[in-house]
Amino acid sequence: MTTHLVWLRNDLRINDNSALWAACRARHARVIALFIATPQQWHQHNMAPRQAEYIWRSLQQLQQSLTEKGIALHYHQCDDFTASVSYLQDFCHEQQVDALFYNYQYEFNERERDAAVERRLTEQGVTVQGFDDSVLLPPGSVRTGNNEAYKVFTPFSKAYRKRLRAGLPECLSAPQARAETPLTTLLPLSPFDYPRESFDEQLFPVGEAAALQRLRAFCRQPVLDYPAQRDYPALEGTSRLSVCLATGTLSPRQCLHRLLREQPQALEEGQASVWLNELIWRDFYRHLLVAFPKLCKNQPFAAWTKKLAWQQRPEQFDAWCQGKTGYPIVDAAMRQLNATGWMHNRLRMIAASFLIKDLQIDWRLGERYFMSVLIDGDLAANNGGWQWSASTGTDAVPWFRIFNPTTQGERFDAQGEFIRRWLPELAAVPDKVIHHPHDWAKKNHQRLDYPLPIVEHKAAREQTLAIFEAARQASSVISPE
């Protein structure tokens, strides 16, 4: 009997799983699945313990779903990608696998691993098929008129929407059961040899069914409110589907098709199109990883920014990590991140800008810290966001535009509702002065158990402008007027 193997990674679902669907097309083939945990590699890539726990919990649910389809899920743990390649080769020999099916990952190390797998298994006589599954359109399929990768998001988005209007990517159903009766025995699925950290299942429900339920609910009405509410962290104005997309309990095609089913006008201009743009941003960063592999190697996209004179300020970095900078909106954001493993997107920009433009600390330290804590950690999106904030990326905020953390707080959390949720020590501070708590305390002879600002924004801004200008001059780049 022909044996087909599905190699699962960040695609923990049975619906709209390209590799799984392809493996099951041959009705009489024996289909098995395999997940290989690589804790040592995860440590190197700064995977958050919460994300590892979420993956393990989702894997348990996926195992049950596959078992009901007559597909056994095998599990193995080894140190790193090199060991996983050898194990996969041995496993295919042991199980007499004729064909391997897997969905692409676009990070550099993962692509190197997959290329090694393809070489070894092809030599072994195994047919290998890979699929573009975690994107709406494959990397390299949306290019400029000069056949180059887009480096700016707005024209990329316009070209992307045009492609989608010409024809939507197919959303695949779950495969049919492989036998009349499901399997009754589950193979052992041990916890990962990785630090364990719990997470709030009300915020991040586990598994494919929960992801689909949340997607349907969001696309009915909240997606229409999204443009007006998405920047206000005190509101539940975002989808919170990022962890589902990062781990693959949900596909971007499922998001697109459900959005268009509920809001048919979303491909055009309008309220629903704003959330669609976020899905396109997600793909933009993946396309960039493939076109410019240096983004996976701690390199800025803009070469001149290698000349930036980042400051060594470990105490200030620790204060930022702990949410003790003396800037309420920054501190509330960091405490939300540390407590939940998630941060509101507007706050990600504010917190990143503060680390880079107020403290002049290397953006790569912040990027790594976020990855080590985020339950929805995703290299492409995280790197893209940090390089945007640092003005080092392809589509970055101009280097001379610097967020003022106080005015950002006043604009997006005017009454301090979000701030008080995470900074209880400011509970007594009146709404109108919540963003200047020490001024209020001094005037009213109050003592606050809250740190003074670790930097003065106006002075820091001038220092940052000088640092960036010096880097541009050192790189013989003409600065803007």
Side-chain angles (χ1 to χ4, degrees):
M1 176 182 289
T2 300
T3 298
H4 289 176
L5 172 62
V6 182
W7 180 20
L8 296 164
R9 293 98 74 84
N10 60 342
D11 47 4
L12 305 181
R13 63 185 183 277
I14 62 171
N15 288 284
D16 196 38
N17 185 319
S18 302
L20 178 63
W21 187 85
C24 293
R25 276 183 298 184
R27 286 293 305 147
H28 300 293
R30 167 182 172 243
V31 178
I32 56 176
L34 173 66
F35 183 89
I36 304 175
T38 53
Q40 189 178 97
Q41 197 82 36
W42 294 347
H43 276 294
Q44 293 175 16
H45 291 175
N46 303 297
M47 180 190 282
R50 283 191 185 97
Q51 185 173 90
E53 184 72 9
Y54 187 92
I55 290 171
W56 182 67
R57 299 280 300 281
S58 297
L59 200 59
Q60 291 176 300
Q61 292 200 17
L62 176 62
Q63 183 180 47
Q64 184 63 49
S65 298
L66 289 170
T67 299
E68 292 170 0
K69 296 292 184 182
I71 300 172
L73 174 61
H74 296 256
Y75 167 78
H76 179 72
Q77 178 174 292
C78 53
D79 286 340
D80 53 22
F81 287 168
T82 300
S84 71
V85 173
S86 298
Y87 177 79
L88 191 56
Q89 185 178 17
D90 293 340
F91 182 84
C92 287
H93 176 75
E94 174 191 314
Q95 295 289 331
Q96 298 182 324
V97 170
D98 298 282
L100 172 74
F101 301 82
Y102 73 99
N103 295 315
Y104 295 134
Q105 292 179 295
Y106 301 113
E107 299 86 351
F108 183 80
N109 292 146
E110 283 78 352
R111 292 175 68 198
E112 291 281 290
R113 172 203 60 196
D114 295 348
V117 165
E118 291 216 13
R119 286 194 301 270
R120 289 205 197 179
L121 292 188
T122 299
E123 292 172 358
Q124 197 168 301
V126 177
T127 301
V128 181
Q129 294 186 42
F131 302 87
D132 289 292
D133 182 76
S134 67
V135 289
L136 294 173
L137 299 174
S141 66
V142 181
R143 300 178 70 81
T144 69
N146 295 327
N147 197 32
E148 297 177 344
Y150 279 99
K151 301 175 185 177
V152 179
F153 177 73
T154 299
F156 175 85
S157 177
K158 290 179 180 178
Y160 213 88
R161 288 170 180 268
K162 184 177 180 180
R163 282 285 307 274
L164 292 177
R165 284 192 288 268
L168 296 177
E170 186 178 4
C171 192
L172 304 166
S173 60
Q176 296 182 357
R178 308 303 297 171
E180 293 182 3
T181 56
L183 299 176
T184 57
T185 303
L186 297 180
L187 296 171
L189 183 60
S190 303
F192 304 142
D193 183 15
Y194 204 73
R196 301 192 68 176
E197 189 168 359
S198 61
F199 57 88
D200 187 341
E201 287 197 48
Q202 293 297 314
L203 295 176
F204 312 109
V206 174
E208 181 176 6
L212 288 170
Q213 183 179 8
R214 175 165 287 189
L215 173 65
R216 294 187 190 105
F218 179 76
C219 289
R220 292 190 189 106
Q221 175 58 41
V223 73
L224 299 177
D225 302 325
Y226 179 74
Q229 296 185 357
R230 64 175 180 158
D231 281 319
Y232 298 91
L235 303 175
E236 289 297 328
T238 65
S239 70
R240 287 194 190 270
L241 289 170
S242 53
V243 64
C244 306
L245 288 165
T247 58
T249 58
L250 188 69
S251 80
R253 292 175 302 280
Q254 289 173 302
C255 293
L256 175 64
H257 281 265
R258 174 53 59 175
L259 178 63
L260 292 175
R261 180 171 179 175
E262 300 290 346
Q263 313 293 341
Q265 76 287 1
L267 274 176
E268 310 303 329
E269 295 300 319
Q271 292 166 298
S273 71
V274 176
W275 190 65
L276 173 59
N277 227 38
E278 296 303 311
L279 294 176
I280 298 175
W281 266 108
R282 182 177 177 276
D283 272 22
F284 179 54
Y285 288 139
R286 277 166 167 67
H287 286 220
L288 288 174
L289 284 191
V290 175
F292 305 101
K294 68 179 181 180
L295 297 176
C296 297
K297 301 177 181 180
N298 294 315
Q299 296 297 313
F301 182 84
W304 71 270
T305 63
K306 293 180 180 179
K307 300 284 188 178
L308 287 167
W310 300 115
Q311 304 301 300
Q312 301 299 318
R313 294 172 172 165
E315 291 184 0
Q316 291 189 341
F317 179 69
D318 288 344
W320 177 83
C321 292
Q322 296 171 31
K324 295 182 179 180
T325 68
Y327 284 86
I329 194 66
V330 175
D331 293 340
M334 295 304 295
R335 294 192 200 181
Q336 179 190 43
L337 172 64
N338 292 333
T340 69
W342 184 83
M343 187 191 287
H344 185 278
N345 187 60
R346 167 57 58 174
L347 300 182
R348 297 189 195 206
M349 292 187 283
I350 295 171
S353 177
F354 185 84
L355 182 74
I356 299 159
K357 303 290 179 66
D358 282 80
L359 302 183
Q360 293 112 33
I361 291 175
D362 193 331
W363 59 270
R364 284 162 284 217
L365 294 177
E367 179 194 20
R368 284 196 290 272
Y369 184 76
F370 266 35
M371 283 298 290
S372 72
V373 184
L374 284 169
I375 193 170
D376 63 351
D378 174 287
L379 174 64
N382 191 50
N383 179 272
W386 274 94
Q387 294 225 41
W388 183 91
S389 295
S391 305
T392 63
T394 58
D395 198 69
V397 63
W399 61 271
F400 48 85
R401 189 180 303 157
I402 298 175
F403 282 14
N404 182 318
T406 302
T407 57
Q408 286 284 309
E410 291 170 341
R411 181 177 178 185
F412 297 112
D413 192 33
Q415 307 304 314
E417 182 181 349
F418 178 80
I419 287 171
R420 286 190 184 83
R421 190 180 305 168
W422 295 104
L423 305 181
E425 59 266 45
L426 299 184
V429 181
D431 292 356
K432 64 181 180 180
V433 290
I434 189 67
H435 302 284
H436 305 270
H438 289 290
D439 291 348
W440 170 83
K442 183 177 181 181
K443 182 177 180 180
N444 291 276
H445 307 288
Q446 300 288 324
R447 183 182 181 279
L448 287 178
D449 184 22
Y450 182 66
L452 289 166
I454 60 174
V455 66
E456 200 277 313
H457 172 71
K458 184 177 180 180
R461 180 181 183 277
E462 294 304 316
Q463 293 168 2
T464 297
L465 290 174
I467 288 170
F468 271 79
E469 181 61 27
R472 289 177 68 87
Q473 293 292 341
S475 302
S476 301
V477 177
I478 300 174
S479 64
E481 295 180 359

